[in-house]
Amino acid sequence: MDGSLILFNILNPPVLFFFMGMLAVFWKSDLEIPQPLPKLFSLYLLLSIGFKGGHELADSGINLQIALTLIAAIFMAAIVPVYTFFILKLKLDNYNAAAIAATYGSISAVTFITASSFLEKLHISYGGHMVAALALMESPAIIVGLILVRVFAPKTEDEQEFSWGKVMHEAFLNGSVFLLVGSLIVGLLTGDKGWEKLQPFTQGIFYGVLTFFLLDMGLIAAKRIKDLSKTGSFLIGFSVFIPIINAIIGILISKVLGMGEGNGLLFAVLCASASYIAVPAAMRLTVPEANPSLYVSMALALTFPFNIIVGIPLYLQIIKLVGV
């Protein structure tokens, strides 16, 4: 692997601020981001990436390859929870296995944004339809995870209270999915005129907000590291190796579909990332038997930093070797 790509990625200012946040916790600094701001940063990033993707999709239009890419995205979001569930069942009960499987079947929008930033710095182009793939991959994993619970978990007296309406509402209308899809549609409908009006907002301050957000993520990730002692070596290994396997599957699919380097990397990152916002919120609501300290700490304290530090350049190197 080309070590210069890892160094290039680590020396990206937002990534360095992620490390700064971790060091602040390790060295017991009192640095913190006031609580309303991280939520605002998250909403801004979703709005910006969705709006930009919609604008680029309006320019490029939808062709057969884009349609196949979106179908592949939905397929991966649905199939990853299935096979990871059976791997996790070797060591865990059905509830925790399903919750973790759903977490790894879904995506991390911030990992996707970091990868797109990495591509822009390398001057590698990618399509706006990848934001549509991002939006489409959020919900299927939640639904599949809950189906796995219904099929494999022991039946209880409260089973009749289970509401698929609530499940679908949480999967498709949770805040992050709604804002991302809505912004994509607005960007698609308004095209160049809308882009001209919002570009100073959606692009001009984008990297500054991303930097603050990753600083906060570094603070949270460092605080979650102590929870990893509860997961054991099996789940720690799972948090690193499953993303690599998922990324390789994504890269092979991107080669078959002829996505190209930029889109191939983003697709691999979507396959490799794990949700630490939308899916945990859904699992806490619908699978209270699962332990949040397992799936949240795995996704946020291990998989997220692994992907933004090592995974992104590693996946690009594999793409170059495979010739996507």
Side-chain angles (χ1 to χ4, degrees):
M1 177 180 173
D2 188 354
S4 63
L5 282 177
I6 294 180
L7 183 62
F8 180 86
N9 192 45
I10 290 175
L11 294 179
N12 189 3
V15 176
L16 288 175
F17 273 92
F18 176 84
F19 284 124
M20 182 188 293
M22 296 191 76
L23 289 175
V25 174
F26 294 152
W27 292 344
K28 303 187 186 305
S29 168
D30 62 356
L31 174 66
E32 62 177 346
I33 309 296
Q35 259 323 295
L37 291 179
K39 179 68 173 178
L40 177 62
F41 295 155
S42 175
L43 293 174
Y44 168 82
L45 292 172
L46 290 169
L47 185 151
S48 296
I49 195 71
F51 186 77
K52 180 181 179 183
H55 166 251
E56 292 184 1
L57 193 56
D59 282 347
S60 65
I62 298 178
N63 54 34
L64 178 61
Q65 186 180 50
I66 290 175
L68 290 174
T69 299
L70 299 181
I71 292 170
I74 296 171
F75 169 78
M76 284 299 292
I79 200 67
V80 168
V82 175
Y83 70 77
T84 53
F85 173 77
F86 288 104
I87 294 173
L88 290 160
K89 264 174 60 66
L90 297 174
K91 296 286 186 177
L92 300 175
D93 61 81
N94 292 312
Y95 296 112
N96 282 304
I100 296 171
T103 299
Y104 280 81
S106 188
I107 49 85
S108 162
V110 179
T111 309
F112 177 92
I113 292 167
T114 307
S116 63
S117 168
F118 178 71
L119 288 173
E120 287 171 7
K121 287 184 175 294
L122 289 175
H123 304 291
I124 299 175
S125 62
Y126 59 90
H129 64 282
M130 296 309 299
V131 179
L134 167 72
L136 289 171
M137 291 181 76
E138 186 93 70
S139 300
I142 297 174
I143 296 169
V144 172
L146 295 174
I147 290 172
L148 290 169
V149 169
R150 292 283 284 173
V151 172
F152 291 97
K155 303 296 183 289
T156 67
E157 295 179 0
D158 298 330
E159 188 176 41
Q160 306 231 340
E161 298 177 10
F162 188 92
S163 170
W164 279 107
K166 291 181 180 178
V167 170
M168 295 302 176
H169 185 277
E170 183 65 26
F172 291 103
L173 291 177
N174 71 73
S176 60
V177 175
F178 187 83
L179 180 60
L180 185 62
V181 174
S183 302
L184 181 75
I185 293 171
V186 171
L188 185 61
L189 293 176
T190 56
D192 290 335
K193 289 185 178 180
W195 179 249
E196 288 173 8
K197 291 178 180 178
L198 279 187
Q199 185 179 14
F201 175 71
T202 56
Q203 285 292 102
I205 63 172
F206 181 84
Y207 287 103
V209 174
L210 176 61
T211 298
F212 256 114
F213 188 79
L214 284 181
L215 173 63
D216 184 63
M217 286 293 97
L219 293 168
I220 296 172
K223 291 173 184 175
R224 285 283 181 182
I225 280 180
K226 62 182 180 181
D227 292 336
L228 294 175
S229 60
K230 305 173 187 176
T231 67
S233 58
F234 172 76
L235 292 184
I236 292 174
F238 180 96
S239 303
V240 174
F241 290 108
I242 287 298
I244 296 174
I245 293 170
N246 291 342
I248 291 172
I249 295 172
I251 289 169
L252 294 176
I253 291 174
S254 67
K255 179 175 175 61
V256 171
L257 297 181
M259 292 186 191
E261 281 189 0
N263 292 334
L265 177 64
L266 292 181
F267 187 71
V269 165
L270 288 173
C271 295
S273 61
S275 173
Y276 52 82
I277 299 174
V279 174
M283 290 297 111
R284 282 174 179 169
L285 176 68
T286 55
V287 191
E289 299 87 350
N291 183 357
S293 68
L294 294 180
Y295 52 83
V296 174
S297 60
M298 287 169 65
L300 184 55
L302 274 181
T303 301
F304 176 69
F306 171 79
N307 273 327
I308 66 168
I309 297 165
V310 178
I312 292 171
L314 172 64
Y315 307 149
L316 182 60
Q317 187 67 23
I318 295 172
I319 284 169
K320 290 179 180 293
L321 291 174
V322 172
V324 174

